[in-house]
Amino acid sequence: MGPRRLMAAGGTGAALLMALMATFTADTSPVVLHALLYLLGVCVGHLVMSAQNTAFATIPPARTGDATTVLNVQRQGAAAFGTALVGTLLGALGTTTRAGAVGTAAYHAGFLTLAALTLCAAALALRISDRRVRAALNAADAHAARGEGAPSGPAKRG
């Protein structure tokens, strides 16, 4: 199927589910919430795993540790940014009730903002070339079959 379609579908599905969660109220059934969170996990899984496989398609084995570090830093940074953004929105838009709870309008704005960001990620995924990723994976398989390991890529430092 290719990573482009998986990432675009996962991102679009996640964005739609987050937008749907923006409509929740205190009366929404927990069963509905659990089902939507499960589906959200499936969609985000398609997005993240396809992105990781695509990123590692052209990485030589000797550089896998470096690539893993960069990918994990990027992933953690993006999660921290999203959390900070939604926290800022909740603080700026949230009006507190007498019990100290933040009003639902702020939560709705937070979910809609996350949905928009995820939809942007899905749109960016459409720029990925399935053909180039497939060619890189096929080249790595061919090298492994000959016992050469993965292609070394550009000139090695040393």
Side-chain angles (χ1 to χ4, degrees), residues 74-126:
Q74 179 272 330
R75 187 174 46 84
Q76 294 294 329
F81 173 76
T83 302
L85 179 64
V86 171
T88 301
L89 283 172
L90 290 177
L93 301 175
T95 55
T96 56
T97 62
R98 286 185 207 163
V102 176
T104 57
Y107 284 106
H108 294 180
F111 275 115
L112 290 175
T113 300
L114 290 175
L117 288 172
T118 307
L119 199 55
C120 289
L124 286 173
L126 294 173

Side-chain angles (χ1 to χ4, degrees), residues 6 13 20-21 26-27 39 49 54-55 68 91-92 116 122 141 146 152:
L6 288 173
L20 184 59
M21 287 182 200
D27 298 328
L39 292 173
M49 290 308 298
T54 300
T68 301
D141 288 344
R146 289 192 302 257
S152 61

Side-chain angles (χ1 to χ4, degrees), residues 1 9 29 119:
M1 178 177 278
S29 168
L119 199 55

Side-chain angles (χ1 to χ4, degrees), residues 31-134:
V31 173
V32 173
L33 177 63
H34 292 151
L36 288 180
L37 286 174
Y38 174 80
L39 292 173
L40 181 62
V42 170
C43 291
V44 170
H46 279 85
L47 179 64
V48 172
M49 290 308 298
S50 296
Q52 182 173 335
N53 289 338
T54 300
F56 289 149
T58 59
I59 303 296
R63 302 300 305 249
T64 302
D66 296 334
T68 301
T69 301
V70 170
L71 184 70
N72 283 327
V73 167
Q74 179 272 330
R75 187 174 46 84
Q76 294 294 329
F81 173 76
T83 302
L85 179 64
V86 171
T88 301
L89 283 172
L90 290 177
L93 301 175
T95 55
T96 56
T97 62
R98 286 185 207 163
V102 176
T104 57
Y107 284 106
H108 294 180
F111 275 115
L112 290 175
T113 300
L114 290 175
L117 288 172
T118 307
L119 199 55
C120 289
L124 286 173
L126 294 173
R127 297 185 54 159
I128 293 173
S129 169
D130 288 340
R131 188 177 316 134
R132 288 180 63 193
V133 173
R134 192 173 300 116

